[in-house]
Amino acid sequence: MTETPQETLANLLSEDRTFPPSPEFTRSANVTESAYDEAAADRLAFWETQARRLDWTKEWDQTLDWSNPPFAKWFTGGELNVAVNCLDRHVEAGLGDRVAIHFEGEPGDTRTVTYAEMLDEVKRAANALTDLGVEAGDRVVIYMPMIPQAAVAMLACARIGAPHSVVFGGFSVDALSSRIEDAGAKVVITADGGFRKGKASALKPTVDAAAERCPSIEKVLVVRRTGEDVEWHDRDLWWHETVDTASNEHEARSFDAEHPLFILYTSGTTGRPKGILHTSGGYLTQTAYTHHAVFDLKPETDVYWCAADIGWVTGHSYVVYGPMANGATQVMYEGTPDTPHKGRIWEIVEKYGVSILYTAPTAIRTYMKWGDDIPDRFDLSSLRVLGSVGEPINPEAWMWYREHIGHDKCPVVDTWWQTETGAIMVSPLPGVTATKPGSAQRPLPGISVDVVDDEGESVPNGGGGFLTIREPWPSMLRTIWGDDQRFLDTYWSRFANMYFAGDGAKRDDDGDIWLLGRVDDVMLVSGHNISTTEVESALVSHDTVAEAAVVGATDPLTGQGIVAFVILRGATESSPEHLAELRGHVASTLGPIAKPRQVMVVSELPKTRSGKIMRRLLRDIAEDRKLGDVTTLQDSSVMARIKEGLQARSED
Ligand code: ATP
Ligand code: MG
């Protein structure tokens, strides 16, 4: 444990377990150690090689134009069509009968979509959008459930060069209309609804209300999914009457490598969401390469499943663009993991023989809480690689994932990246890295990530600080839509010549990177900067704790005091002795400095739609303040329930 007074972020947790890949895995791995050397020798040449994984109709003149930092241009002068790279070229290569999507609806209906069928539908949708007056450069908002038409809609937009802005199906009228307005979208693609938690959940009424507020909306294209009654307006068109009847002949034109592909708003965990702009050639290069390298995808034999919604970046990069550029066969599931029973995820893995599974720590902790006996009932032997994304994964959850889902034979890859980075940046490579529970470990080949102190100097091994990116990367955000100044202020002003990610991190004695949560959430206790992640991981390592969120609350003695909110495993009540034991457990795991001032038992935590804990709202509770912006919460009533529960408890 380091105790220097100038420490940027304390390094408290130590973890010695490591898991090297099996020799068999390494022997057939897509990427080996030499990729790091190759990229280190010539980073731009390395990315040029990766760009050649794609079909370009015009070769680029320059790999990277960094003459006007931080506004990067990659593969300048190059031209391609993103949708052609995801579909046409596979069909032309004779792979039209390969399954692109095994769709599993929540009620149990299924649909198998081949690459040829996907291409056919995307061409029809492209023609339909063109008929509606959508031209290259026009923005289209997509507000849909997880059904194959959502991917079709995205690819149809890409095909005609109309940037899409996908809004999580289930966001409120406010969230949807502010995104429509910000993008100045002409068309919204939606559905009558989708199936969630065992019933139809309507989407169209939200779009109707948003369209009333947003004069830019000319047309609304509606997929019939649930069959429930919907109100109908002049601007509305049914997908099955418009897309299904459109021509399936469509000549795709090529676009500049820097043509905008999509706008996507960040999850809003820390504040007002930012409209992140991504472009075409560099984005597709890095998503395709990282999907190939990090998941070791063998497109002929693997069945891949990324359980993320298309409403957030993982659903863009690792459901639609990366996997489809690589010709993957994947599973898409519409509903919630506990409908109609808590084994639904594992039942789907067994049914389709899923070999690569990519999900979030919040989901993994939930499955842990539900009990080992549930996955144990299913045959999970098809799995060979497991991935995690979205938050730091606690070592305990990582071990559970490895043991109970991966049966000790699947490499677990903890992938760090952001909406802004577009693609994975820090992650083990499954055939190379000896993995460590809870660490994202190493920047991928061609990526230069650093951990720096307040002055921007690299911290030595064993030190903690800020995660930064020192060199531009192909799938980097190009700006914040319509707000270059906010782009500069948010990411490029904290340190000179470096991208500031907003996350804390440390390097262990081997130089491996551990993510420590958001810098905004770091707690300052008696002069020590303590990360939320380490304290939460210590709490989750106690047998009785399923989930934990900690925040720093103003404290007259220590500056800030650590306040922990915990969800217990199989219990809703605790005793003063048990709470004292939890506090003691943290102190003995991390040292007395990290001992929580207070532990409170809750039955739920405030989370964003993408499952991330919103600590800023808990801080409001811990400091007894009026709540901040709750519009991106999964369930906005959760805060009231947490408060009520706490009052009831503090009275007894
Ligand atoms: P906002 O920026 O609006 O607050 P957000 O940061 O939650 O929203 P995303 O882009 O979806 O929006 O999330 C990226 C963030 O998620 C990262 O900056 C990091 O904090 C966290 N994250 C993602 N993957 C990992 C990981 N493997 N380990 C640790 N943290 C991760
Ligand atoms: Mg962020």
Side-chain angles (χ1 to χ4, degrees):
M1 194 170 105
T2 44
E3 288 251 333
T4 50
Q6 284 89 17
E7 65 177 12
T8 302
L9 196 51
N11 172 10
L12 302 176
L13 191 73
S14 63
E15 172 62 66
D16 304 321
R17 294 170 284 194
T18 64
F19 300 93
S22 68
E24 306 81 73
F25 195 107
T26 300
R27 220 172 299 124
S28 57
N30 286 353
V31 178
T32 59
E33 182 72 39
S34 64
Y36 294 103
D37 305 331
E38 208 187 303
D42 189 340
R43 190 173 61 90
L44 295 182
F46 172 83
W47 284 119
E48 287 202 70
T49 305
Q50 306 319 324
R52 295 213 164 82
R53 306 172 60 79
L54 307 178
D55 284 357
W56 297 77
T57 49
K58 182 167 171 283
E59 171 93 8
W60 55 91
D61 312 312
Q62 194 184 359
T63 312
L64 168 66
D65 175 357
W66 193 232
S67 57
N68 180 28
F71 299 93
K73 291 191 179 128
W74 281 85
F75 308 111
T76 55
E79 289 181 8
L80 80 173
N81 183 291
V82 168
V84 166
N85 272 282
C86 292
L87 300 172
D88 305 50
R89 64 175 180 147
H90 305 314
V91 175
E92 277 156 28
L95 304 174
D97 291 337
R98 181 182 289 170
V99 174
I101 298 176
H102 289 292
F103 171 70
E104 177 88 11
E106 196 188 72
D109 59 317
T110 61
R111 184 179 161 200
T112 309
V113 192
T114 64
Y115 271 92
E117 289 163 346
M118 202 62 201
L119 175 58
D120 191 80
E121 197 161 335
V122 166
K123 286 180 170 176
R124 291 179 197 275
N127 281 323
L129 288 173
T130 305
D131 290 345
L132 296 184
V134 179
E135 290 174 12
D138 290 344
R139 278 81 59 203
V140 174
V141 163
I142 297 176
Y143 183 73
M144 289 177 86
M146 279 301 280
I147 55 177
Q149 290 91 333
V152 170
M154 290 164 73
L155 288 165
C157 289
R159 192 174 186 91
I160 60 172
H164 54 69
S165 166
V166 181
V167 180
F168 185 91
F171 266 158
S172 64
V173 179
D174 285 341
L176 177 61
S177 20
S178 66
R179 285 160 178 72
I180 292 172
E181 268 164 20
D182 194 54
K186 257 185 161 168
V187 168
V188 178
I189 308 178
T190 187
D192 48 2
F195 292 101
R196 287 190 73 73
K197 300 190 176 146
K199 52 182 197 289
S201 159
L203 292 174
K204 176 89 172 22
T206 310
V207 177
D208 291 342
E212 294 302 322
R213 292 194 206 169
C214 303
S216 67
I217 292 303
E218 294 168 14
K219 296 286 174 199
V220 176
L221 189 55
V222 190
V223 174
R224 187 150 72 197
R225 168 67 185 140
T226 62
E228 292 207 308
D229 285 344
V230 289
E231 264 186 44
W232 210 247
H233 304 270
D234 287 344
R235 58 180 175 259
D236 298 336
L237 296 138
W238 281 114
W239 176 283
H240 58 268
E241 289 173 3
T242 315
V243 174
D244 292 0
T245 57
S247 161
N248 65 353
E249 306 270 325
H250 185 271
E251 189 81 42
R253 75 176 245 232
S254 296
F255 294 97
D256 191 274
E258 284 298 333
H259 188 79
L261 180 62
F262 64 85
I263 304 165
L264 181 66
Y265 293 81
T266 56
S267 318
T269 312
T270 51
R272 185 164 61 93
K274 303 167 280 275
I276 303 301
L277 177 69
H278 282 288
T279 59
S280 303
Y283 171 80
L284 198 63
T285 296
Q286 194 175 329
T287 51
Y289 171 68
T290 52
H291 183 255
H292 159 86
V294 173
F295 300 108
D296 195 50
L297 178 86
K298 313 282 195 251
E300 304 77 21
T301 48
D302 274 317
V303 178
Y304 166 83
W305 184 15
C306 167
D309 191 276
I310 47 141
W312 64 301
V313 72
T314 308
H316 285 57
S317 302
Y318 299 105
V319 173
V320 179
Y321 294 110
M324 294 204 179
N326 290 337
T329 293
Q330 68 181 308
V331 168
M332 179 185 273
Y333 172 55
E334 177 185 33
T336 49
D338 53 353
T339 308
H341 58 81
K342 292 190 165 116
R344 187 72 191 267
I345 299 297
W346 318 119
E347 184 179 74
I348 294 172
V349 168
E350 176 180 293
K351 175 174 176 184
Y352 294 102
V354 171
S355 55
I356 305 171
L357 180 67
Y358 192 26
T359 188
T362 178
I364 297 165
R365 289 190 301 259
T366 302
Y367 306 143
M368 268 175 92
K369 185 168 63 185
W370 289 345
D372 310 343
D373 55 310
I374 295 173
D376 286 354
R377 288 204 284 273
F378 298 92
D379 178 5
L380 306 181
S381 60
S382 55
L383 288 170
R384 64 179 201 91
V385 179
L386 299 176
S388 170
V389 61
E391 282 182 296
I393 179 164
N394 322 105
E396 234 31 60
W398 192 102
M399 286 304 298
W400 185 88
Y401 197 28
R402 181 179 160 89
E403 287 169 2
H404 292 277
I405 307 305
H407 296 156
D408 289 321
K409 70 174 174 60
C410 306
V412 175
V413 289
D414 172 19
T415 62
W416 179 86
W417 59 295
Q418 313 175 292
T419 308
E420 295 88 338
T421 69
I424 301 172
M425 302 293 278
V426 185
S427 168
L429 286 177
V432 179
T433 318
T435 53
K436 299 177 181 174
S439 173
Q441 296 196 295
R442 221 171 144 182
L444 288 178
I447 298 298
S448 41
V449 162
D450 202 354
V451 181
V452 304
D453 64 17
D454 270 320
E455 264 69 62
E457 300 292 332
S458 301
V459 302
N461 288 355
F466 304 96
L467 195 79
T468 60
I469 307 172
R470 286 195 177 269
E471 300 288 349
W473 62 102
S475 64
M476 68 196 280
L477 76 167
R478 298 308 195 252
T479 189
I480 291 178
W481 179 257
D483 200 346
D484 286 348
Q485 193 56 47
R486 192 174 178 205
F487 171 61
L488 296 170
D489 293 345
T490 310
Y491 308 107
W492 302 95
S493 63
R494 180 70 181 76
F495 300 107
N497 307 318
M498 269 186 270
Y499 171 88
F500 170 49
D503 286 343
K506 70 178 185 188
R507 266 189 231 285
D508 67 15
D509 293 335
D510 303 324
D512 283 321
I513 293 175
W514 296 70
L515 272 301
L516 296 180
R518 293 150 196 286
V519 171
D520 295 357
D521 291 336
V522 166
M523 305 171 290
L524 183 62
V525 183
S526 303
H528 291 270
N529 284 309
I530 300 191
S531 95
T532 52
T533 301
E534 294 197 321
V535 181
E536 289 163 5
S537 289
L539 284 162
V540 173
S541 74
H542 192 277
D543 287 345
T544 60
V545 177
E547 275 210 79
V550 305
V551 298
T554 309
D555 186 287
L557 280 179
T558 56
Q560 281 188 322
I562 301 179
V563 177
F565 297 80
V566 298
I567 300 180
L568 300 179
R569 283 212 213 193
T572 50
E573 292 288 332
S574 172
S575 62
E577 296 73 38
H578 175 240
L579 295 179
E581 183 184 322
L582 294 181
R583 295 172 62 227
H585 176 75
V586 175
S588 62
T589 311
L590 302 179
I593 185 71
K595 186 175 184 173
R597 180 182 82 186
Q598 205 179 352
V599 177
M600 300 194 248
V601 176
V602 292
S603 55
E604 35 194 342
L605 290 169
K607 290 187 180 163
T608 63
R609 295 285 182 171
S610 55
K612 296 167 195 238
I613 299 170
M614 276 222 233
R615 289 177 195 74
R616 64 180 166 85
L617 295 179
L618 293 172
R619 211 153 43 226
D620 291 344
I621 289 196
E623 297 186 337
D624 219 8
R625 256 198 316 272
K626 190 170 164 294
L627 287 182
D629 182 5
V630 296
T631 53
T632 63
L633 268 184
Q634 165 87 26
D635 168 3
S636 52
S637 53
V638 63
M639 294 313 293
R641 286 199 297 278
I642 290 176
K643 277 187 140 171
E644 266 167 36
L646 290 178
Q647 272 151 15
R649 233 171 298 276
S650 60
E651 279 157 19
D652 45 56

